[in-house]
C-alpha cells in the first residue's frame, strides 16, 4: 500500500491510519478499501453481483486475494484491517503530522442515529473529532464499537459526489470469524430482530443494527476531511435532485419522501405540503416542476433500478383521422436522450397532419429483468407528449402502490389495466421488498392524503367547510377575474403550524410565486377548492388538519424547533394564500384571438336570446360548471322564475354558489331590480342519471359539455335528457372539429413571441386537453337527428362563430330541440342528486350540511 499520486479519497484514509495509536497505527479497515475505490468496487460486483445489496461480502473477497499480495500488505489478527507489511519510515509520518497541524484542533459533527427498532425515533447525534483522530474510529465509538475495523460503510445516498453515507456495525458472527464461509450466507450471520429497515431503505444495502447517517469523508482532489453538519441551516445542493434546498432535521425525511413518485415531484416543486403529483400531463406550457420522464428516471435511480427504456412508435395514417388502419414504425431507440425541458434532443419535430406517436415504457430491475411495461393506446401529435404522458401513467400507478402497500394484488392489477400497465408481480415485489419494511411511514402518508386531500370528500362549499371546522376567510374586493378548469393560476402562500392554549405560530412552508393548473390535480384538493372561489387580488386564510409528521419535518424551515411542538395537543396547520394572476385555458385564448366578442360569450348570448323568446319560467343548465350561463340570466331580461344547475364538479359548484348568492342577494335588496327569480338550486350529480325534481322544465341547456364525456356517455345523456327529463326545449352546443385548423392558425399569429405556445397550439388534437372527442358537422347532425327522431322532438341546427354559408361552418355548432307533444304528467319520484346550494326569495341562501 502506497500513497496515490493524485488526491484520491483513499489517500486521506491512509494518512489518517498512520496517526492511529498503538497497535492500530497504519491499519486501514478492509471495507474502506472497496467503498472508496470505484475500480475495486466494480471488480467485486463483476465477481459476485450479490455484493451490491450486501457489502459484507466484499470483505471475504479481499481476504481471499490478500495472500497473493504477501510481501506487500498483510492483514491484522482479526482479519478486519490491512496494512503495509513494512511500515513507513518515521520521517514520512512526521511530514504527515506537520501537514495536519494546519487543520483545526477539532471539529463538531452533527449527524443522525437511525435505530434498528422502528419503535424508536430517528434522533440527532453530535460528536467531536480531533485533528489527530481517525473519524471512522469516532463513529465506531458512537456505535458502541472499539475501532473502525468493525464499521461497515454504505454507498453514497443520492448524488455520487456527496459524502452522505450510513455507518453501521458488522455482525457479531463476522467479527468472531471474518474468514468463515458464513460470509456468503446472510441468514447465518445476523441475529433475529436486528434488521434496520429504515436504514436499508435509504441506501439499498442490507443493514443490521443501529446506523448513523453522516456527511463526512475524504473526497477527490482534496486532502482535507470534508464534512457538513446535517442539521446546520446551510444551503446545499440536494443529494436527491438537481435543485437546492435547506439542510435541517428534514434531511432524513426528504430522502424518504424522494423514494416515492409523489415525493420526487413535491421536492422538484419545493412545495412538500402543497404540491401533489398531477393526474394528467395536459401541455408542456402548463406543466410545472420536473417533467414526468425526468421524475420516472429519478425514481428508478433512487431504487437502484435500470434507467427506464422509452420506445416511441410512429403511427402513419394512410387515410382520414377516423381510419382504423395504421402503419407502425419504430422511430426512437431506447437510448434517445431528452433535455431538461422534456424535448427530444435531435430530430424532435412536428410531424404532418396524418402522423401521430405512441410510446411504450419498460422498467428493468438491477439484474435487467423486465418488471413493468406500460403500452398506452393513446396517440399524440408530438413525440414528446407521448413520452411524457406514458411516463406519468407509470408514476401514477407506482404512486398508488406506495400510497397503499398492502393493496391486494388483484386491485393493483386492475388499476394497472386502467393505465395500460403490465407488471410481473414476483419480480416487482422482490425489487420493492424493503418498501414494505417501512410500511408504517408510507401508510401514514397515504391515509392522510385520503382523509385530507381526496376530492370527493374535500371539495365542498364554503359553508360546508365551516361546518367541518375548517373556516375559510376570503378578503378583498371581487375583481371578476376567477380561475376555471384548465386555467393556470399563480399564488403566494404560507403554511404555519398553530398550537392551542399558549398560542404559537411557526412557519413551515412558503412560496412567493407558485403556479399550477386548475383541474390537473397538481396541488392538494383543499387548496384548489379555496383558490377556485377567489378572484385575482383576493386573499384567503383557512385551517387544515395536521399533515403527517414526516412531511412537516421535511418541509420545515426550522425542524428542530418544530419537532417538540408536534407533540403538543391541538396542533393544526394554517394556510394563507393570495391569488396573483390567472391565465385562461388555451381553448379560450384561441377563441379570443379570432372572435370578438369571445366565442364563449356568443354561445351564452345565443342561449339568452332563445330563453327570452321562449317565455320560459323554469330552466335547468346541464353541466353548469362555474355558473357562467346562470350568472348571465340574472343580468338579462327574461321571464324565468326557477333556475337550476347540475354538475359533478364540487369545485365548480362552489364558485357558482358564491357568485349566484352574491348577485341574487344584491338584486333582492335593490328595489329597482327587474329579475323575476324566486328560487335557485345547485345539484351535485351526473347528467347521465335521472332525477325527477328536474322533470318537465320549460328549457334545458347544455353548452360545451358533451365533448368532456366519453362518446358513449354523450349518447346516453342525449337519450336520458329527452326521454326522461323531457324539457320543452333543449339547447346543446359542442365544438366543430373542422374549425380547429382556423382557430389554431389564428392562435399562432398572436403567439409570435412565445414558441412554447406555438408548440402547444400545433400539437392540439382537440381544443382542450380534457375533450374526449370533437365531432364534425356530419357527426353532430347525425347524433342530434337520430336522437330527436327516437324521442319525438324536432331539431334545428345553427351555431356561433362563422356561418353556414362559409366553410367550415360555425366554430361552435348548436342543436335546438323542441318537443312535439306533451310529456306525461305523472313520473316516479327518484332523487339521485344532492342539493349543494339553495336560494329562495323567502329563505335567501342555504347550503347543504
Amino acid at each position: 500500500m502506497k500513497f496515490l499520486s493524485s488526491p484520491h479519497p483513499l489517500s486521506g484514509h491512509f494518512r489518517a491510519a498512520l496517526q492511529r495509536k498503538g497497535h492500530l497505527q497504519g491499519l486501514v479497515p478492509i471495507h474502506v478499501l472497496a467503498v472508496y475505490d470505484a475500480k475495486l468496487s466494480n471488480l467485486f460486483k463483476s465477481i459476485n453481483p450479490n455484493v451490491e445489496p450486501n457489502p459484507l461480502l466484499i470483505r471475504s473477497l479481499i481476504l481471499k486475494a490478500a495472500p497473493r499480495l504477501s510481501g506487500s500488505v498483510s492483514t491484522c489478527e482479526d482479519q478486519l484491517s490491512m496494512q503495509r507489511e513494512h511500515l513507513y519510515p518515521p520521517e514520512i509520518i512526521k511530514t504527515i503530522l506537520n501537514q495536519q497541524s494546519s487543520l483545526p484542533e477539532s471539529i463538531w459533527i452533527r449527524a443522525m442515529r437511525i435505530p434498528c427498532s422502528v419503535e424508536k425515533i430517528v434522533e440527532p447525534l453530535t460528536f467531536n473529532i480531533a485533528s489527530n483522530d481517525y473519524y471512522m474510529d469516532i463513529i465506531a465509538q458512537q456505535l458502541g464499537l472499539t475501532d473502525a475495523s468493525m464499521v461497515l460503510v454504505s454507498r453514497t445516498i443520492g448524488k455520487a459526489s456527496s459524502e452522505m453515507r450510513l455507518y453501521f456495525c458488522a455482525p457479531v458472527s463476522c467479527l468472531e470469524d471474518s474468514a468463515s464461509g458464513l460470509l456468503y450466507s446472510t441468514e447465518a450471520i445476523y441475529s433475529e430482530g436486528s434488521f434496520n429497515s429504515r436504514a436499508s431503505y435509504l441506501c439499498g444495502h442490507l443493514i443490521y443494527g443501529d446506523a448513523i447517517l453522516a456527511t463526512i469523508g475524504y473526497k477527490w482532489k482534496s486532502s482535507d476531511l470534508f464534512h457538513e453538519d446535517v442539521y446546520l441551516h446551510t444551503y446545499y445542493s440536494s443529494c436527491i435532485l438537481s435543485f437546492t434546498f435547506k439542510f435541517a432535521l428534514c434531511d432524513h425525511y426528504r430522502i424518504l419522501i424522494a423514494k416515492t413518485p409523489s415525493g420526487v415531484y413535491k421536492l422538484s416543486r419545493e412545495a412538500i405540503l402543497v404540491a401533489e403529483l398531477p393526474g394528467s400531463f395536459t401541455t408542456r406550457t402548463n406543466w410545472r416542476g420536473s417533467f414526468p420522464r425526468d421524475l420516472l428516471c429519478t425514481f428508478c435511480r433512487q431504487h437502484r433500478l435500470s434507467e427506464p427504456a422509452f420506445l416511441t412508435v410512429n403511427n402513419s395514417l394512410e387515410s382520414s383521422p377516423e381510419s382504423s388502419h395504421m402503419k407502425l414504425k419504430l422511430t426512437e431507440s431506447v437510448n434517445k436522450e431528452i433535455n431538461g425541458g422534456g424535448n427530444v434532443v435531435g430530430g424532435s419535430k412536428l410531424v404532418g397532419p396524418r402522423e401521430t406517436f405512441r410510446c411504450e415504457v419498460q422498467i428493468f430491475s438491477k439484474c435487467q429483468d423486465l418488471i413493468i411495461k406500460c403500452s398506452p393506446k393513446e396517440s399524440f401529435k408530438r413525440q414528446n407528449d407521448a413520452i411524457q404522458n406514458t411516463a406519468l401513467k407509470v408514476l401514477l400507478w407506482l404512486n398508488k402502490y406506495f400510497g397503499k402497500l398492502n393493496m391486494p394484488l388483484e386491485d393493483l392489477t386492475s388499476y394497472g389495466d386502467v393505465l395500460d400497465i403490465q407488471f410481473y408481480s414476483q419480480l416487482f415485489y422482490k425489487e420493492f421488498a424493503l418498501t414494505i419494511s417501512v410500511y408504517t411511514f408510507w401508510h401514514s402518508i397515504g391515509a392522510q392524503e385520503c382523509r385530507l386531500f381526496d376530492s370527493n370528500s374535500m371539495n365542498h362549499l364554503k359553508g360546508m367547510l365551516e361546518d367541518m371546522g375548517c373556516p375559510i376567510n376570503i378578503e378583498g374586493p371581487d375583481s371578476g377575474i376567477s380561475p376555471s378548469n384548465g386555467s393556470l393560476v399563480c399564488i403566494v402562500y404560507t403554511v404555519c403550524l398553530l398550537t392551542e392554549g399558549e398560542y404559537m405560530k411557526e412557519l413551515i412552508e412558503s412560496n412567493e410565486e407558485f403556479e399550477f393548473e386548475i383541474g390537473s390535480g397538481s396541488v392538494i384538493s383543499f387548496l384548489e377548492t379555496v383558490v377556485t372561489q377567489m378572484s385575482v387580488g383576493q386573499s384567503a386564510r383557512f385551517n387544515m388538519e395536521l399533515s403527517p409528521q414526516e412531511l412537516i419535518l421535511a418541509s420545515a424551515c426550522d425542524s428542530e424547533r418544530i419537532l417538540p411542538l408536534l407533540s403538543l395537543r391541538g396542533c393544526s396547520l394554517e394556510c394563507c394564500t393570495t391569488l396573483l394572476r390567472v391565465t385562461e385555458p388555451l381553448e379560450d385564448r384561441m377563441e379570443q384571438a379570432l372572435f370578438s366578442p369571445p366565442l364563449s360569450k356568443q354561445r351564452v348570448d345565443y342561449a339568452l336570446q332563445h330563453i327570452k323568446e321562449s317565455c320560459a319560467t323554469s330552466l335547468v343548465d346541464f353541466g353548469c360548471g362555474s355558473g357562467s350561463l346562470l350568472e348571465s340570466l340574472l343580468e338579462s331580461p327574461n321571464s324565468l322564475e326557477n333556475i337550476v344547475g347540475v354538475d359533478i364538479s364540487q369545485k365548480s359548484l362552489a364558485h357558482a354558489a358564491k357568485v349566484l348568492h352574491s348577485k341574487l342577494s344584491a338584486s333582492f335588496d335593490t328595489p329597482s331590480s327587474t329579475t323575476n327569480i324566486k328560487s335557485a338550486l345547485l345539484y351535485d350529480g351526473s347528467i347521465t342519471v335521472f332525477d325527477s325534481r328536474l322533470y318537465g322544465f320549460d328549457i334545458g341547456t347544455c353548452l360545451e359539455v358533451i365533448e368532456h364525456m366519453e362518446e358513449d356517455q354523450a349518447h346516453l345523456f342525449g337519450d336520458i335528457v329527452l326521454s326522461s327529463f323531457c324539457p320543452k326545449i333543449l339547447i346543446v352546443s359542442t365544438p366543430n372539429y373542422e374549425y380547429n385548423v382556423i382557430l389554431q392558425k389564428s392562435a399562432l399569429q398572436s403567439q409570435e413571441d412565445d414558441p412554447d405556445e406555438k408548440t402547444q397550439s400545433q400539437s392540439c388534437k382537440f381544443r382542450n386537453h380534457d375533450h374526449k372527442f370533437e365531432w364534425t358537422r356530419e357527426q353532430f347532425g347525425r347524433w342530434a337527428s337520430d336522437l330527436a327522431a327516437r324521442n319525438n322532438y324536432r331539431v334545428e341546427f345553427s351555431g356561433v362563430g362563422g356561418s353556414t354559408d362559409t366553410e367550415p361552418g360555425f366554430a361552435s355548432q348548436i342543436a335546438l330541440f323542441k318537443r312535439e307533444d306533451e310529456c306525461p304528467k305523472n313520473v316516479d319520484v327518484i332523487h339521485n342528486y344532492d342539493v349543494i346550494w339553495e336560494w329562495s326569495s323567502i329563505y335567501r341562501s342555504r347550503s347543504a350540511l
Side-chain angles (χ1 to χ4, degrees):
M1 258 191 305
K2 61 181 180 179
F3 290 108
L4 303 176
S5 58
S6 62
H8 188 287
L10 279 180
S11 296
H13 288 272
F14 294 160
R15 285 192 297 270
L18 291 177
Q19 299 181 81
R20 300 175 80 185
K21 305 300 181 184
H23 70 284
L24 296 176
Q25 185 180 30
L27 289 175
V28 178
I30 286 178
H31 190 67
V32 165
L33 299 176
V35 170
Y36 292 96
D37 190 325
K39 290 183 179 180
L40 196 59
S41 177
N42 291 332
L43 175 62
F44 291 148
K45 291 176 185 177
S46 65
I47 296 173
N48 185 355
N50 291 327
V51 302
E52 177 75 14
N54 188 358
L56 187 63
L57 299 179
I58 292 176
R59 183 170 292 169
S60 65
L61 294 175
I62 292 179
L63 290 174
K64 287 183 177 180
R68 303 176 188 176
L69 299 174
S70 102
S72 176
V73 297
S74 63
T75 59
C76 60
E77 292 182 5
D78 59 12
Q79 297 192 349
L80 297 175
S81 300
M82 299 183 74
Q83 63 182 356
R84 275 176 59 102
E85 192 152 304
H86 304 289
L87 296 179
Y88 289 103
E91 58 269 20
I92 292 182
I93 297 178
K94 183 178 180 180
T95 302
I96 294 173
L97 292 176
N98 291 335
Q99 292 174 350
Q100 297 293 100
S101 63
S102 61
L103 298 176
E105 290 188 6
S106 65
I107 55 176
W108 286 93
I109 302 298
R110 306 185 74 180
M112 285 187 294
R113 183 187 299 275
I114 305 177
C116 62
S117 171
V118 294
E119 305 298 325
K120 297 180 180 180
I121 64 170
V122 176
E123 57 187 4
L125 178 67
T126 304
F127 51 89
N128 179 269
I129 299 177
S131 59
N132 59 347
D133 284 336
Y134 182 28
Y135 79 92
M136 290 284 291
D137 285 332
I138 306 302
I139 292 177
Q141 293 171 17
Q142 297 299 318
L143 290 169
L145 305 173
T146 56
D147 64 77
S149 63
M150 304 176 184
V151 178
L152 299 182
V153 186
S154 77
R155 57 166 71 96
T156 55
I157 298 175
K159 280 185 174 181
S161 60
S162 80
E163 275 304 313
M164 179 176 283
R165 299 176 186 270
L166 283 161
Y167 299 84
F168 51 102
C169 177
V172 174
S173 57
C174 172
L175 302 179
E176 293 173 349
D177 186 5
S178 60
S180 170
L182 289 174
L183 285 170
Y184 289 93
S185 176
T186 56
E187 293 82 359
I189 296 175
Y190 302 104
S191 58
E192 185 177 354
S194 63
F195 180 63
N196 194 323
S197 58
R198 290 177 293 191
S200 299
Y201 187 68
L202 285 179
C203 67
H205 286 325
L206 296 176
I207 295 179
Y208 291 77
D210 291 355
I212 291 176
L213 179 67
T215 302
I216 186 171
Y218 296 101
K219 302 183 72 172
W220 279 93
K221 300 181 180 180
S222 176
S223 59
D224 295 335
L225 179 64
F226 172 83
H227 67 94
E228 280 201 331
D229 290 342
V230 177
Y231 294 31
L232 191 63
H233 297 309
T234 56
Y235 282 96
Y236 181 73
S237 179
S238 164
C239 65
I240 303 301
L241 299 172
S242 58
F243 60 86
T244 301
F245 62 81
K246 216 175 219 181
F247 258 18
L249 179 61
C250 60
D251 292 347
H252 171 66
Y253 297 112
R254 283 180 180 258
I255 295 169
L256 283 177
I257 289 169
K259 292 280 191 174
T260 68
S262 179
V264 176
Y265 181 75
K266 285 173 179 288
L267 289 170
S268 78
R269 297 232 58 194
E270 299 187 67
I272 294 174
L273 295 180
V274 166
E276 288 291 340
L277 179 67
S280 60
F281 181 84
T282 55
T283 62
R284 178 176 176 270
T285 303
N286 280 9
W287 186 272
R288 294 295 182 271
S290 296
F291 284 89
R293 181 191 183 278
D294 300 325
L295 294 173
L296 184 59
C297 290
T298 300
F299 173 85
C300 289
R301 294 185 200 113
Q302 292 302 308
H303 290 272
R304 311 287 174 173
L305 302 174
S306 299
E307 288 287 304
F310 293 85
L311 297 162
T312 56
V313 178
N314 184 338
N315 304 327
S316 301
L317 305 186
E318 295 297 326
S319 56
S320 66
E322 290 81 20
S323 173
S324 60
H325 300 286
M326 300 181 181
K327 283 188 177 181
L328 302 183
K329 179 183 178 182
L330 187 65
T331 61
E332 288 295 319
S333 68
V334 175
N335 298 318
K336 174 64 74 176
E337 293 185 357
I338 296 183
N339 66 21
N343 289 324
V344 178
V345 175
S348 176
K349 61 181 181 179
L350 280 170
V351 296
R354 290 170 176 259
E355 290 185 321
T356 57
F357 290 96
R358 287 189 294 108
C359 177
E360 177 178 291
V361 174
Q362 298 176 354
I363 296 180
F364 296 85
S365 69
K366 293 181 282 288
C367 299
Q368 295 302 308
D369 294 317
L370 179 63
I371 57 176
I372 301 172
K373 181 170 71 173
C374 180
S375 305
K377 303 177 180 64
E378 297 92 339
S379 297
F380 300 86
K381 281 191 174 181
R382 287 190 66 85
Q383 185 178 27
N384 181 56
D385 289 344
I387 291 172
Q388 303 296 354
N389 275 276
T390 306
L392 182 57
K393 285 194 171 192
V394 178
L395 290 167
L396 290 170
W397 182 80
L398 287 166
N399 213 45
K400 189 83 167 181
Y401 168 72
F402 275 85
K404 190 177 181 182
L405 293 171
N406 61 347
M407 179 187 297
L409 176 60
E410 53 270 23
D411 292 349
L412 192 59
T413 303
S414 177
Y415 186 59
D417 292 340
V418 172
L419 297 176
D420 302 308
I421 288 176
Q422 291 178 289
F423 73 105
Y424 302 89
S425 57
Q426 288 187 341
L427 293 171
F428 176 80
Y429 288 128
K430 177 182 177 182
E431 289 298 320
F432 293 96
L434 289 176
T435 307
I436 303 295
S437 65
V438 287
Y439 167 79
T440 304
F441 169 73
W442 299 123
H443 181 69
S444 70
I445 291 181
Q448 189 76 11
E449 288 178 345
C450 290
R451 183 173 72 254
L452 265 184
F453 310 144
D454 183 78
S455 60
N456 292 327
S457 61
M458 294 307 298
N459 297 336
H460 296 297
L461 302 178
K462 180 177 178 181
M464 297 175 69
L465 289 168
E466 290 173 347
D467 290 331
M468 294 169 62
C470 302
I472 299 175
N473 298 314
I474 297 179
E475 301 174 348
D478 189 342
S479 65
I481 305 174
S482 298
S484 59
N485 195 50
S487 297
L488 186 67
V489 301
C490 181
I491 64 172
V492 55
Y493 76 86
T494 60
V495 179
C496 296
L497 178 69
L498 300 182
T499 60
E500 285 185 354
E502 190 174 326
Y503 180 79
M504 297 184 68
K505 185 175 180 178
E506 293 289 340
L507 179 66
I508 302 294
E509 184 174 286
S510 63
N511 202 312
E512 294 185 357
E513 275 205 2
F514 185 79
E515 291 186 316
F516 65 94
E517 182 180 2
I518 296 292
S520 67
S522 56
V523 296
I524 58 176
S525 296
F526 203 101
L527 177 62
E528 186 170 308
T529 298
V530 174
V531 171
T532 55
Q533 299 180 51
M534 301 166 63
S535 63
V536 172
Q538 287 187 323
S539 300
R541 185 177 68 254
F542 56 95
N543 291 346
M544 303 185 297
E545 295 180 40
L546 278 180
S547 299
Q549 176 175 298
E550 293 82 359
L551 291 182
I552 294 175
L553 291 175
S555 59
C557 300
D558 189 347
S559 49
E560 293 185 58
R561 181 177 175 84
I562 295 296
L563 185 58
L565 298 180
L566 291 173
S567 62
L568 301 177
R569 292 184 178 181
C571 290
S572 64
L573 295 179
E574 179 190 73
C575 182
C576 299
T577 183
T578 299
L579 181 56
L580 301 179
R581 60 179 177 269
V582 175
T583 304
E584 294 176 322
L586 176 63
E587 178 184 13
D588 294 342
R589 298 201 299 275
M590 286 194 299
E591 293 178 353
Q592 290 172 9
L594 186 61
F595 298 105
S596 181
L599 204 56
S600 57
K601 187 177 188 310
Q602 292 188 41
R603 285 190 291 265
V604 170
D605 289 344
Y606 176 95
L608 292 176
Q609 181 63 31
H610 282 273
I611 292 167
K612 180 180 178 180
E613 293 173 356
S614 70
C615 298
T617 60
S618 59
L619 174 141
V620 54
D621 188 15
F622 295 102
C624 66
S626 298
S628 58
L629 175 61
L630 299 176
E631 179 185 357
S632 299
L633 292 173
L634 306 181
E635 301 170 346
S636 63
N638 56 66
S639 55
L640 290 172
E641 297 179 357
N642 305 310
I643 59 174
V644 174
V646 183
D647 207 283
I648 59 173
S649 170
Q650 293 183 345
K651 288 192 290 288
S652 296
L653 289 170
H655 184 271
K658 175 187 173 184
V659 173
L660 293 176
H661 172 74
S662 175
K663 295 206 169 185
L664 282 169
S665 298
S667 175
F668 187 85
D669 294 334
T670 304
S672 59
S673 174
T674 58
T675 182
N676 300 312
I677 300 297
K678 296 179 180 179
S679 71
L681 276 162
L682 291 178
Y683 286 110
D684 175 19
S686 169
I687 60 176
T688 60
V689 177
F690 176 65
D691 190 298
S692 59
R693 288 169 291 187
L694 304 186
Y695 173 76
F697 272 53
D698 291 336
I699 193 165
T701 55
C702 185
L703 306 183
E704 307 295 290
V705 174
I706 61 173
E707 63 273 10
H708 294 271
M709 312 161 70
E710 298 293 344
E711 284 195 73
D712 60 338
Q713 292 295 299
H715 285 279
L716 176 60
F717 162 71
D719 284 325
I720 291 289
V721 71
L722 296 187
S723 66
S724 299
F725 287 107
C726 300
K728 292 180 181 178
I729 297 174
L730 176 67
I731 302 173
V732 178
S733 77
T734 192
N736 173 12
Y737 179 78
E738 299 165 87
Y739 210 94
N740 287 359
V741 63
I742 296 178
L743 283 173
Q744 291 173 7
K745 285 182 179 178
S746 175
L748 288 174
Q749 292 173 1
S750 66
Q751 296 164 1
E752 293 180 358
D753 298 328
D754 194 341
D756 284 348
E757 292 212 347
K758 284 185 179 182
T759 297
Q760 185 178 344
S761 298
Q762 290 172 322
S763 63
C764 280
K765 182 178 180 181
F766 300 135
R767 295 184 198 178
N768 188 300
H769 69 86
D770 193 48
H771 288 184
K772 304 300 188 295
F773 67 89
E774 287 178 5
W775 281 334
T776 63
R777 287 168 290 174
E778 179 185 355
Q779 291 171 313
F780 182 61
R782 185 166 59 247
W783 172 79
S785 298
D786 292 346
L787 194 60
R790 286 198 304 272
N791 295 283
N792 202 21
Y793 278 75
R794 56 188 173 88
V795 62
E796 302 170 4
F797 294 98
S798 183
V800 294
S803 169
T804 54
D805 301 326
T806 305
E807 287 296 322
F810 292 105
S812 277
Q813 46 193 344
I814 298 175
L816 181 66
F817 297 87
K818 294 184 179 180
R819 200 172 63 227
E820 293 283 319
D821 58 1
E822 293 294 324
C823 58
K825 294 183 179 180
N826 296 322
V827 64
D828 293 337
V829 176
I830 302 175
H831 293 178
N832 286 315
Y833 296 164
D834 294 325
V835 177
I836 290 296
W837 173 84
E838 180 179 7
W839 185 95
S840 75
S841 57
I842 300 175
Y843 301 108
R844 297 295 187 94
S845 178
R846 290 186 295 181
S847 294
L849 300 179

